[in-house]
Amino acid sequence: MNYFVEGLQGSGKSTLVQKLSELSPECIAIREGDYSPVELAWCAYVDEKKYREILGKYSDIRELIEAKTFSDSDDSKKRIICYTQIITDIPGFHKDLEQYEIYNNRVSYEDFKSIILKRYKAWSKNSLQESKIFECSLFQNIVEDMILFRCAADEEILEFYKSVREALEGKDYHIIYLKTEDVRGILEVIRKERSDDKGNELWFPLMMRYFEECPYSKAKGLSGEEDLIKHFIHRQELELRIIEEVFSDRCTVVASKNYTDEDIRR
């Protein structure tokens, strides 16, 4: 069995991944930014030519880049660079490699859809791989991209996930969704948790800029914390609808931060 741990930011996904890892030590935990056979968030996705250019441009850290680079399981000509795991003080390195992610409308919708579905399908066809626990590798990054950067309607996103279900055919997996009852409350918590030792917020200003500068917000004139909260509420409602209509037999919905180890075992 493989597990997809999903939910809004701050719902406790990382904590649940850790609990599942302890309860199922035979499973490999794949967290955000790790190399994943399905997810590409926080990773540059480039062809061989561009990869060689990057190695040449950043020759001082070539070995670090090579150590965090993997071949695409579905396309041997593609390279996946887990660039956020590379620690360097070279100015602009992370910002430079960020442009080669597939999210935030950096590739066409057809390419976006093709890459994601091919990777899900290639992984589902390989029955010899160890069981895995994936952190936000099914909903968060894809749904955020489609809402905020492609301005996709709910029905279009729902249809996309019907294709995802087909691509995962033949693979044993279960989704654990952490449902948040108080979106405003979890936002307040993560604002405090993701601050420095002087109380300066680190995550929230970046999240607000990400939200306010996306095509969806600009088209609808959205800005500020209240509109961000409304977006999160809408996203959770949509993800729960996807679960109900596409993955109802493959998902358990639990209350965010209000469950026991026995609930998870069961």
Side-chain angles (χ1 to χ4, degrees):
M1 182 59 67
N2 300 272
Y3 300 95
F4 289 97
V5 177
E6 299 293 328
L8 295 180
Q9 289 91 327
S11 60
K13 296 187 294 296
S14 297
T15 300
L16 180 52
V17 167
Q18 184 59 37
K19 284 185 179 291
L20 281 171
S21 297
E22 294 167 358
L23 293 170
S24 304
E26 74 281 2
C27 292
I28 298 173
I30 298 179
R31 296 172 173 83
E32 283 194 281
D34 290 348
Y35 170 70
S36 167
V38 296
E39 176 61 27
L40 286 171
W42 309 107
C43 296
Y45 187 70
V46 297
D47 59 23
E48 186 67 23
K49 180 181 178 182
K50 180 57 64 176
Y51 179 57
R52 294 299 165 190
E53 289 177 7
I54 292 170
L55 290 178
K57 184 175 182 179
Y58 298 103
S59 57
D60 289 348
I61 56 170
R62 181 187 181 105
E63 290 184 1
L64 295 178
I65 296 172
E66 291 177 331
K68 291 297 181 181
T69 299
F70 305 83
S71 294
D72 187 353
S73 59
D74 184 59
D75 187 346
S76 60
K77 296 180 180 179
K78 291 289 188 178
R79 296 287 180 269
I80 298 165
I81 308 171
C82 301
Y83 71 92
T84 57
Q85 295 190 346
I86 298 172
I87 300 174
T88 177
D89 57 2
I90 295 178
F93 170 76
H94 295 98
K95 191 66 177 177
D96 186 11
L97 266 68
E98 181 184 40
Q99 68 179 303
Y100 302 114
E101 287 196 34
I102 68 167
Y103 295 101
N104 299 1
N105 221 7
R106 294 187 180 98
V107 299
S108 70
Y109 177 61
E110 288 305 314
D111 286 345
F112 178 76
K113 182 167 66 172
S114 174
I115 291 167
I116 290 172
L117 294 179
K118 283 182 179 179
R119 287 178 62 75
Y120 280 135
K121 190 171 184 179
W123 172 68
S124 67
K125 285 165 58 179
N126 189 342
S127 60
L128 300 179
Q129 293 179 335
E130 302 93 337
S131 296
K132 294 179 173 60
I133 303 168
F134 295 101
E135 180 182 3
C136 58
S137 294
L138 190 64
F139 289 147
Q140 178 170 292
N141 299 301
I142 295 173
V143 174
E144 289 276 44
D145 177 278
M146 294 187 75
I147 293 175
L148 297 180
F149 288 85
R150 301 181 193 277
C151 300
D154 288 3
E155 296 299 327
E156 184 178 359
I157 298 172
L158 183 65
E159 288 301 312
F160 176 85
Y161 274 96
K162 291 178 181 178
S163 298
V164 171
R165 174 72 193 244
E166 292 176 2
L168 288 171
E169 192 66 34
K171 195 69 174 177
D172 289 327
Y173 64 93
H174 196 78
I175 304 163
I176 303 177
Y177 192 91
L178 294 166
K179 182 180 179 181
T180 300
E181 297 295 342
D182 182 9
V183 175
R184 187 184 303 276
I186 67 162
L187 187 59
E188 287 299 321
V189 170
I190 56 178
R191 288 179 68 171
K192 293 177 181 177
E193 289 179 346
R194 301 177 189 182
S195 298
D196 64 19
D197 55 5
K198 296 180 180 179
N200 298 311
E201 294 184 352
L202 303 175
W203 173 80
F204 188 68
L206 296 175
M207 184 69 234
M208 283 306 312
R209 186 159 62 248
Y210 170 83
F211 175 69
E212 292 178 344
E213 293 180 358
C214 72
Y216 178 81
S217 294
K218 288 183 176 180
K220 293 184 175 293
L222 305 179
S223 65
E225 185 175 340
E226 291 303 313
D227 284 337
L228 177 63
I229 290 171
K230 290 177 183 177
H231 162 65
F232 281 150
I233 291 172
H234 167 231
R235 202 191 97 197
Q236 179 170 259
E237 290 173 347
L238 174 57
E239 289 172 354
L240 290 170
R241 182 184 170 195
I242 293 168
I243 287 169
E244 181 180 352
E245 297 188 25
V246 183
F247 298 104
S248 60
D249 61 330
R250 295 278 191 167
C251 185
T252 299
V253 178
V254 298
S256 170
K257 303 181 181 180
N258 189 24
Y259 56 84
T260 65
D261 286 357
E262 187 56 37
D263 292 332
I264 302 306
R265 289 191 185 94
R266 187 165 59 245

